[in-house]
Amino acid sequence: MARIDIISGFLGAGKTTLIKKLLKESFSTEKVVLVENEFGEIGIDGGFLREAGIEIQEMNSGCICCTLSGDFTKAIKEVVRRFSPERIIIEPSGVGKLSDVIKACERAVQTDELKLNMCISVVDATKYRIYVKNFAEFFTNQIEHAKTIILSRTQKMQEEKLREVVLDIQKRNPKANVITTPWEELAGERIVAAAESDTARSFIEHAVAATQQPHKHGLHCTCDHDHDHEHEHEHNDHPQGCSCGHEHETDDASCCEHHHAADEVFGTWGVETPRQFTRARLQDALNSLSMNSEYGNVLRAKGIVPVENGEWVQFDYVPDETEIRPCAPDYTGRLCVIGEDLCADCLSALFEV
């Protein structure tokens, strides 16, 4: 029987990094298929996971709710038929609603071949307060419906601020396991053990209302650094309603409505290009994303591009944090930016593509 694991998280939380860790440390002897639903049409992460010998089923689509309703169940059945996996990992879009992903998975597992197993949400602790304020249900839905919540970047926070984040999470989801120890310090098997525990499993079908009881899981960070920056901006009420023309198989009448609100709030810009960058020029461009509002409110940027000396790099950007690291060559360079009110012409000019 194949197990389905959902590993979710808001934009840039670190879910792909967590998946790579678990594949290396916990699932190396298992036959694993990753089903990836990226926001936008330019997929970036799949290629890096294929390097680990993992089968990838990409489901890039502008209409997320349509993908998760009709095509999703068919895709899972096809994965089982073609690969006979022991474990299927679902990596939803960073702006998808975890509650809808769970419903889609519950429809898919109504056979003896599949079992819904882990349901993890990765949460960037350093951006928790600002994301709760600015993105409301898009962000908190992934907290309220997870069995296990793994906080990323906790080593960058003061202990008191981390405690405040944990207490708020426990009010929103008192039944979830909360892992606060930086995952670099934890073996993958320890993370899986927490996520597959009986207490976590009992939560899988329930949305939990906020309560008053604090939770006792997790170890706290004691470093002196604080990167809890608050670059706030206000949102107007976002338009609701679906106008895509598709029928949606769902038990929740609001599923399509919420997802198309996400499509209207968040935008994506992506391009494939043979352009060769220099590391310095690429770093300057990424720095400009947080320094200049003309590009829009950029929440996530990632890509793989050729640089000098015939080398290739992968880059990842979230506000206040950029990483550029060497990687294997790909068939062409690719860039993807996700955010609000993006200016496509400005981004094209910035990256000179």
Side-chain angles (χ1 to χ4, degrees), residues 293-304:
S293 61
E294 70 174 300
Y295 305 113
N297 180 31
V298 177
L299 300 171
R300 184 77 167 96
K302 53 186 175 178
I304 171 173

Side-chain angles (χ1 to χ4, degrees), residues 19-204:
I19 289 171
K20 291 172 72 173
K21 176 182 175 70
L22 296 183
L23 289 172
K24 179 180 179 180
E25 298 181 11
S26 303
F27 308 146
S28 59
T29 62
E30 299 182 25
K31 191 170 186 181
V32 179
V33 174
L34 172 68
V35 177
E36 190 174 60
N37 179 210
E38 292 202 71
F39 186 65
E41 298 178 356
I42 302 293
I44 302 293
D45 296 325
F48 306 107
L49 293 165
R50 284 192 185 93
E51 294 175 7
I54 305 302
E55 298 289 347
I56 309 291
Q57 175 77 38
E58 292 182 320
M59 301 182 69
N60 296 346
S61 173
C63 187
I64 300 171
C65 62
C66 300
T67 300
L68 288 180
S69 53
D71 294 342
F72 182 82
T73 300
K74 295 177 183 177
I76 295 299
K77 291 180 179 178
E78 179 65 11
V79 162
V80 172
R81 185 190 69 80
R82 289 181 58 194
F83 304 112
S84 300
E86 298 170 77
R87 189 181 298 268
I88 300 172
I89 299 175
I90 311 296
E91 183 183 5
S93 158
V95 295
K97 295 190 71 176
L98 181 55
S99 57
D100 293 338
V101 177
I102 292 172
K103 289 177 184 177
C105 289
E106 286 174 339
R107 287 193 292 270
V109 302
Q110 292 176 356
T111 71
D112 294 333
E113 300 174 298
L114 299 166
K115 178 180 74 170
L116 194 51
N117 187 39
M118 298 191 298
C119 184
I120 294 171
S121 184
V122 182
V123 176
D124 184 342
T126 67
K127 297 180 175 60
Y128 181 83
R129 289 189 296 171
I130 190 64
Y131 281 0
V132 165
K133 178 173 182 176
N134 286 342
F135 301 111
E137 193 172 5
F138 296 118
F139 180 70
T140 58
N141 181 272
Q142 301 196 26
I143 295 165
E144 294 164 355
H145 294 270
K147 293 192 299 177
T148 301
I149 296 168
I150 301 179
L151 296 181
S152 62
R153 302 181 176 94
T154 56
Q155 68 273 23
K156 298 183 177 183
M157 299 184 69
Q158 292 179 348
E159 183 177 0
E160 182 58 34
K161 288 186 177 296
L162 178 59
R163 184 181 293 111
E164 291 173 1
V165 169
V166 172
L167 288 174
D168 192 72
I169 288 173
Q170 290 163 351
K171 291 177 182 178
R172 297 175 188 275
N173 186 345
K175 292 188 177 181
N177 293 321
V178 181
I179 297 176
T180 62
T181 303
W183 62 49
E184 295 87 355
E185 301 176 17
L186 292 173
E189 291 82 359
R190 182 69 187 91
I191 296 173
V192 172
E196 289 184 338
S197 68
D198 290 337
T199 55
R201 187 175 298 114
S202 68
F203 178 68
I204 197 159

